[in-house]
Amino acid sequence: LSLGEAKNLPTYPGPNKMRDCYCTVNLDQEEVFRTKIVEKSLCPFYGEDFYCEIPRTFRHLSFYIFDRDVFRRDSIIGKVAIQKEDLQKYHNRDTWFQLQHVDADSEVQGKVHLELRLSEVITDTGVVCHKLATRVLECQGLPIVNGQCDPYATVTLAGPSRQVLHILPFYDDDLSEAKKTKVKKKTNNPHFDEVFYFEVTRPSSYNKKSHFDIEDVDEVDKMEIRVDLWNASNLKFGDEFLGELRLPLKFLRQSSSYEAWYFLQPRDNGNKSLKPDDLGSLRLNVVYTEDHVFSSDYYSPLRDVLLKSADVEPVSASAAHILGEVCREKQEAAIPLVRLFLHYGRIVPFISAIANAEVKRTQDPNTIFRGNSLTSKCIDETMKLAGMHYLQVTLKPIIDEICQVHKPCEIDPVKLKDGENLENNRENLRQYVDRIFTVITKSGVSCPTVMCDIFFSLRESAAKRFQGDPDVRYTAVSSFIFLRFFAPAILSPNLFQLTPHHPDPQTSRTLTLISKTIQTLGSLSKSKSANFKESYMATFYDYFNEQKYADAVKNFLDLISSSGRRDHKSIEQPILLKEGFMIKRAQGRKRFGMKNFKKRWFRLTNHEFTYQKSKGDHPLCSIPIENILAVERLEEESFKMKNMFQVIQPERRVLYIQANNCVEAKDWIDILTKVSQCNKKRLTVYHPSAYLNGHWLCCKATADNTPGCTPCTGGLPANIQLDIDGDRETERIYSLFNLYMPKLEKMQEACGSKSVYDGPEEEEYSTFIIDDPKETYKTLKLIIEGVGTLEQEHAQYKRDKFKKTKYGSQEHPIGDKSFQTYIRQQSEISAHSI
């Protein structure tokens, strides 16, 4: 997601009319991301990106704009909610969305499981009447309101004009308008299993008709059963509405009983009169992909063709290079290719092959690797994946300091604020540049091996191609490590996970000036000052016009591009992998201590997992990585809390933790699993529920040291930097080839055309690099065959899935756009076949 900006927000009722706003991203109503607060604006610019794996099903992707007032209370201004089915409409394009009003009646999620039965009952006096039994079985995924959910349901029978009829409960003489279930405490997946009876038609003389007479049928057709879900509130404002369901009884005409799952719907409270444009709008760019990944053997033919790319001569005839040629943007191809080659340990030979081919095509050593080619995009992506922790170790401490201290560093005389001194600012900036330059040039020993091996290959190719230029072996490497790795990370630390948000404008300006200087220092160009358009930058750069800086850069580049380097494990400094607040359950170390839940600051490095009261405090508990035997989700029923997981230690000691949301929970589980993957005593089985009241809730075993009852989830790669699923990346590449099939066919035509062999190149084919038409044609044939086979498998899977789909099942509840279609189907075909 790219969260751009909001505009024309309604003015604040106070005197200054401005607002302090932030935006949240929600899966249904669960917040998974929050932007920084933009102060004093009605057109706030956020400019923040958020990427996440979606760990559960959802109906809406929602965005809420909040206003923080002087009392630090947050009020909702409006929201944008995009249905999951509609995400493809807005895929990868900037779109302005009108903000909609938010009230309790529109905030609905979850589903309800109902069984309805319409039957004839003969009374003691021999007359017949029709009774409706409504069984409320359970609900799933109800929203959490103010941190809790204590749900109950009310069931009502309503007449033609939506007026509630008087209800005669079958076993109750009391007249009431709505029947109510028991309240289920602390759960958003309540099991009710309660039945309510309603009298639908007046008693009439009993006759032998098996169903209603005409008048009765008309009357029943106009009725509906209404189920409302509520959160029992302790507050004086009353219970909160969670969602409703209105079902016309006419669909019971063909079958007297019906049982299904339904999506809950919002309640219409007549808010339609409010103009949507009163609230302003929000600019978003959403890139949403959903791939169905088969098991590994399905991908063997296509994967084999891709992994042989490094060995194909010339490399332009390889499957990976062809993908780069047909994709609209090289980045599209680079992301899955790099991940696939990294997963199978083939990234270095592949990048060496495509880089070598690009160097051969380069005429001027000064333009080496400066374009947005497949090579440069693949190296960028590799550095981002393999070098993320390297950046954390090198840059994060000093960038954190710059963001917190706010030293003035503006050196443009025109932009100086009142009271600022130009010389002081220059000195502040010089100190920052000096410190960052020093940590970078002394970090060669920490540079990941895979990056060093790629840099060695680039250096060799460039030196061989431009033998008369002694500096090209440095510029080939510096064009990546400085220009495309360190400089962008300093400029936009949030994009490299060095800061959680975009820095504020003053800090952002400081980082821009540092980034420009570091980029120039690393470029080793002959006349440095000429690189700057601004005279104030050229003047500032004079500080660094000394040979010692150029020598430091060359020594650093020599070290990171030398082959056969030292053992990577010699680096003793712990790498911080993740940190943040979570809630944990006391482990019961003290004999009489309370096992309650407390908020703690958790910190994970590649050495240990710790928690403390607040950030920076002394750790209250430290778990060495080698003592983490398994990390697994915890079933919600254990403590009636969502997003919980467990860290299992020796002697069956378990730490129970609750993350803030489903995305955070998945992140923590993944990274803890990865970092502990190589532990020798890792468990193979675990308990998915907690040990409470003398037994395990899952298997009911009474001994707390009973071995687990469920197999541990599949292992992840041991390398903490890379969590890659090779099959998933191959599926992504298949999807791209399938999307660009017309271009593949055109490329095949170009290979087969005589013009490629002996005549001048035709205009329509000139967009492709084809060095060897025969080899390229062979590869294209294999790609098209492999893609065709997978396409058939996908089509068969969809057909099988459609046959097995039961509309109204737990996986496919009735509701949303599909409900009317379903009613039409009911009237056209037998209820039993449905």
Side-chain angles (χ1 to χ4, degrees):
L1 305 168
S2 289
L3 290 136
E5 59 192 307
K7 67 178 181 184
N8 303 331
L9 298 180
T11 55
Y12 188 71
N16 71 359
K17 303 200 178 302
M18 292 291 121
R19 291 182 182 269
D20 299 342
C21 297
Y22 63 91
C23 180
T24 68
V25 180
N26 296 54
L27 291 175
D28 294 322
Q29 285 166 256
E30 183 182 7
E31 183 183 316
V32 294
F33 179 71
R34 179 180 292 205
T35 67
K36 63 178 182 292
I37 295 172
V38 177
E39 296 181 343
K40 299 182 178 61
S41 175
L42 296 178
C43 297
F45 177 79
Y46 298 109
E48 296 199 37
D49 295 328
F50 173 62
Y51 168 85
C52 81
E53 298 287 322
I54 298 179
R56 61 172 179 81
T57 55
F58 67 102
R59 284 167 72 186
H60 293 92
L61 181 64
S62 304
F63 303 84
Y64 293 80
I65 300 273
F66 285 88
D67 178 28
R68 172 157 287 186
D69 70 12
V70 287
F71 302 108
R72 320 268 311 157
R73 287 186 306 229
D74 302 345
S75 55
I76 296 180
I77 295 174
K79 73 168 180 180
V80 170
I82 308 172
Q83 280 199 328
K84 182 184 173 185
E85 297 80 36
D86 294 336
L87 283 169
Q88 282 301 326
K89 282 189 206 168
Y90 309 108
H91 180 76
N92 203 13
R93 59 190 177 91
D94 273 16
T95 310
W96 282 98
F97 292 91
Q98 292 288 346
L99 287 169
Q100 304 296 322
H101 287 272
V102 177
D103 58 33
D105 295 336
S106 70
E107 296 294 273
V108 167
Q109 68 180 58
K111 51 193 176 184
V112 59
H113 189 188
L114 291 185
E115 186 179 351
L116 300 175
R117 188 179 299 276
L118 201 54
S119 51
E120 294 177 340
V121 180
I122 305 169
T123 63
D124 295 340
T125 56
V127 293
V128 66
C129 60
H130 296 101
K131 306 284 182 186
L132 173 69
T134 304
R135 185 179 178 200
V136 183
L137 289 138
E138 61 180 310
C139 293
Q140 281 192 348
L142 297 177
I144 307 282
V145 182
N146 298 325
Q148 59 140 34
C149 191
D150 297 337
Y152 68 89
T154 59
V155 186
T156 318
L157 187 67
S161 59
R162 299 211 167 184
Q163 296 300 310
V164 176
L165 298 174
H166 285 301
I167 292 164
L168 289 165
F170 192 49
Y171 292 125
D172 199 339
D173 294 332
D174 178 33
L175 273 174
S176 65
E177 288 202 334
K179 299 302 285 177
K180 177 180 164 184
T181 67
K182 294 186 180 74
V183 175
K184 298 291 177 181
K185 292 282 186 183
K186 292 185 179 175
T187 177
N188 63 341
N189 298 322
H191 287 262
F192 296 112
D193 203 2
E194 294 188 42
V195 187
F196 303 105
Y197 296 90
F198 305 107
E199 187 175 276
V200 179
T201 57
R202 292 183 301 279
S204 58
S205 303
Y206 178 64
N207 56 36
K208 294 196 178 180
K209 282 184 190 176
S210 63
H211 242 293
F212 317 114
D213 59 34
I214 299 301
E215 285 177 15
D216 287 339
V217 170
D218 285 349
E219 192 175 331
V220 170
D221 275 1
K222 292 170 187 171
M223 291 181 182
E224 65 179 17
I225 195 83
R226 198 174 90 200
V227 180
D228 293 83
L229 267 294
W230 300 87
N231 179 38
S233 170
N234 298 323
L235 303 171
K236 60 185 176 186
F237 304 113
D239 298 347
E240 291 105 347
F241 173 78
L242 299 180
E244 73 168 16
L245 180 66
R246 292 172 179 265
L247 286 175
L249 293 193
K250 64 182 174 187
F251 74 87
L252 285 172
R253 214 192 297 179
Q254 290 179 315
S255 171
S256 58
S257 74
Y258 195 75
E259 175 252 332
W261 283 86
Y262 299 87
F263 274 133
L264 288 167
Q265 302 293 346
R267 183 166 58 182
D268 179 11
N269 261 9
N271 280 340
K272 303 295 179 201
S273 59
L274 291 164
K275 290 181 186 173
D277 57 2
D278 289 347
L279 298 178
S281 51
L282 179 65
R283 180 165 62 86
L284 301 168
N285 189 321
V286 180
V287 176
Y288 176 72
T289 55
E290 187 177 301
D291 292 325
H292 177 82
V293 186
F294 289 125
S295 55
S296 236
D297 49 326
Y298 283 86
Y299 297 107
S300 293
L302 184 60
R303 185 175 53 234
D304 291 348
V305 177
L306 287 160
L307 291 175
K308 283 177 189 160
S309 293
D311 307 319
V312 173
E313 283 287 341
V315 74
S316 60
S318 69
H321 194 278
I322 288 168
L323 182 67
E325 287 295 290
V326 296
C327 280
R328 195 180 61 190
E329 292 171 17
K330 304 287 184 201
Q331 181 82 355
E332 236 181 341
I335 292 172
L337 283 174
V338 164
R339 295 174 77 89
L340 181 74
F341 284 113
L342 270 169
H343 182 69
Y344 287 101
R346 301 281 296 149
I347 192 68
V348 177
F350 168 62
I351 285 182
S352 299
I354 58 173
N356 204 21
E358 185 174 327
V359 169
K360 283 179 183 170
R361 284 194 292 271
T362 305
Q363 300 305 315
D364 181 355
N366 293 318
T367 62
I368 197 163
F369 300 128
R370 291 298 167 93
N372 281 329
S373 61
L374 183 65
T375 308
S376 57
K377 289 294 183 190
C378 283
I379 297 174
D380 285 355
E381 193 58 31
T382 306
M383 291 192 300
K384 246 187 173 179
L385 283 169
M388 202 58 84
H389 302 301
Y390 176 36
L391 281 177
Q392 298 271 338
V393 173
T394 315
L395 294 181
K396 188 168 175 32
I398 191 164
I399 284 182
D400 283 347
E401 185 190 319
I402 292 167
C403 291
Q404 285 159 16
V405 176
H406 293 294
K407 275 188 188 173
C409 293
E410 183 55 73
I411 57 169
D412 182 352
V414 179
K415 293 184 178 175
L416 275 187
K417 291 180 184 168
D418 291 343
E420 283 185 359
N421 180 293
L422 187 60
E423 279 310 310
N424 287 350
N425 287 11
R426 273 195 192 134
E427 181 55 22
N428 290 341
L429 186 62
R430 189 191 67 73
Q431 285 180 11
Y432 278 146
V433 171
D434 235 346
R435 284 172 61 192
I436 286 184
F437 179 79
T438 305
V439 296
I440 289 173
T441 51
K442 291 202 170 159
S443 69
V445 73
S446 308
C447 187
T449 313
V450 70
M451 284 168 62
C452 295
D453 291 344
I454 288 168
F455 295 150
F456 173 72
S457 168
L458 299 181
R459 171 188 174 130
E460 293 296 294
S461 285
K464 193 173 169 185
R465 171 81 172 88
F466 300 105
Q467 292 175 10
D469 188 334
D471 282 339
V472 76
R473 62 195 179 132
Y474 294 118
T475 52
V477 178
S478 71
S479 64
F480 285 104
I481 194 74
F482 279 102
L483 272 65
R484 304 175 81 117
F485 186 63
F486 283 122
I490 296 164
L491 185 67
S492 306
N494 57 303
L495 297 183
F496 291 80
Q497 294 171 24
L498 295 172
T499 57
H501 303 294
H502 261 299
D504 61 80
Q506 183 188 327
T507 307
S508 191
R509 173 67 177 159
T510 301
L511 293 173
T512 302
L513 295 170
I514 295 169
S515 178
K516 278 184 174 185
T517 317
I518 292 292
Q519 187 171 325
T520 310
L521 274 167
S523 69
L524 292 169
S525 58
K526 304 289 185 291
S527 61
K528 302 291 177 91
S529 302
N531 281 5
F532 296 110
K533 296 172 191 160
E534 311 95 337
S535 58
Y536 62 85
M537 281 302 296
T539 309
F540 173 68
Y541 196 79
D542 287 341
Y543 285 126
F544 305 98
N545 242 335
E546 294 179 40
Q547 190 57 36
K548 67 173 184 178
Y549 289 102
D551 291 345
V553 169
K554 286 184 176 179
N555 290 339
F556 169 66
L557 296 174
D558 278 334
L559 179 57
I560 64 168
S561 61
S562 58
S563 191
R565 291 166 52 259
R566 75 279 145 206
D567 179 15
H568 192 59
K569 289 179 182 171
S570 63
I571 305 157
E572 285 305 311
Q573 187 177 1
I575 299 170
L576 176 66
L577 302 174
K578 191 170 175 64
E579 60 182 346
F581 276 113
M582 290 192 287
I583 292 167
K584 66 101 198 167
R585 183 178 186 251
Q587 292 177 275
R589 290 177 177 177
K590 294 176 186 169
R591 194 168 174 191
F592 300 108
M594 284 282 289
K595 289 190 179 182
N596 53 354
F597 286 89
K598 288 180 178 167
K599 191 174 184 179
R600 292 288 181 256
W601 180 264
F602 283 82
R603 200 167 184 274
L604 174 67
T605 70
N606 56 341
H607 291 189
E608 60 182 355
F609 182 47
T610 61
Y611 63 77
Q612 51 229 54
K613 265 195 175 176
S614 297
K615 187 176 182 178
D617 287 358
H618 187 74
L620 298 169
C621 170
S622 170
I623 304 170
I625 293 301
E626 56 270 22
N627 281 359
I628 298 177
L629 306 186
V631 185
E632 298 288 347
R633 292 188 181 281
L634 186 71
E635 286 180 354
E636 193 182 320
E637 293 309 307
S638 298
F639 300 107
K640 308 287 188 194
M641 290 164 72
K642 288 175 77 69
N643 306 319
M644 287 203 73
F645 63 95
Q646 50 184 317
V647 178
I648 306 169
Q649 303 161 64
E651 298 169 11
R652 306 276 167 195
R653 282 201 27 240
V654 186
L655 176 62
Y656 296 120
I657 303 172
Q658 183 188 36
N660 298 319
N661 57 57
C662 59
V663 171
E664 274 287 291
K666 183 181 186 301
D667 283 351
W668 275 106
I669 293 167
D670 283 354
I671 199 158
L672 280 162
T673 304
K674 276 179 275 179
V675 80
S676 61
Q677 193 68 46
C678 293
N679 292 349
K680 289 174 185 165
K681 295 183 179 176
R682 272 190 71 82
L683 298 178
T684 53
V685 289
Y686 77 106
H687 291 285
S689 290
Y691 183 80
L692 292 173
N693 304 324
H695 68 275
W696 291 99
L697 298 181
C698 39
C699 59
K700 309 302 179 205
T702 52
D704 62 355
N705 61 353
T706 307
C709 55
T710 304
C712 286
T713 48
L716 290 155
N719 184 344
I720 56 167
Q721 298 164 355
L722 305 170
D723 172 16
I724 294 170
D725 179 342
D727 299 328
R728 180 175 135 170
E729 301 310 327
T730 316
E731 170 63 30
R732 188 90 287 272
I733 292 168
Y734 149 75
S735 297
L736 288 169
F737 273 138
N738 205 23
L739 179 66
Y740 294 112
M741 186 55 77
K743 281 194 178 182
L744 285 174
E745 288 164 350
K746 201 169 222 183
M747 202 172 183
Q748 216 177 17
E749 279 175 41
C751 291
S753 159
K754 278 205 166 139
S755 64
V756 176
Y757 293 103
D758 45 35
E761 207 164 16
E762 287 183 28
E763 188 66 32
E764 61 180 314
Y765 300 143
S766 62
T767 51
F768 304 122
I769 293 173
I770 301 173
D771 295 320
D772 186 329
K774 286 185 181 175
E775 277 301 314
T776 310
Y777 190 90
K778 274 189 213 168
T779 309
L780 281 161
K781 193 164 180 287
L782 290 170
I783 292 169
I784 290 166
E785 281 171 6
V787 169
T789 307
L790 277 168
E791 198 176 4
Q792 285 172 5
E793 295 290 355
H794 277 285
Q796 186 59 48
Y797 167 79
K798 282 177 183 165
R799 283 195 293 272
D800 292 347
K801 191 177 176 187
F802 182 75
K803 280 179 196 168
K804 291 174 191 167
T805 297
K806 181 174 181 280
Y807 198 55
S809 65
Q810 193 171 347
E811 297 77 30
H812 302 282
I814 298 164
D816 285 350
K817 296 175 180 175
S818 319
F819 186 62
Q820 293 307 318
T821 315
Y822 176 72
I823 295 296
R824 279 201 302 276
Q825 285 176 334
Q826 271 294 77
S827 59
E828 287 164 15
I829 48 178
S830 154
H832 299 292
S833 68
I834 291 282

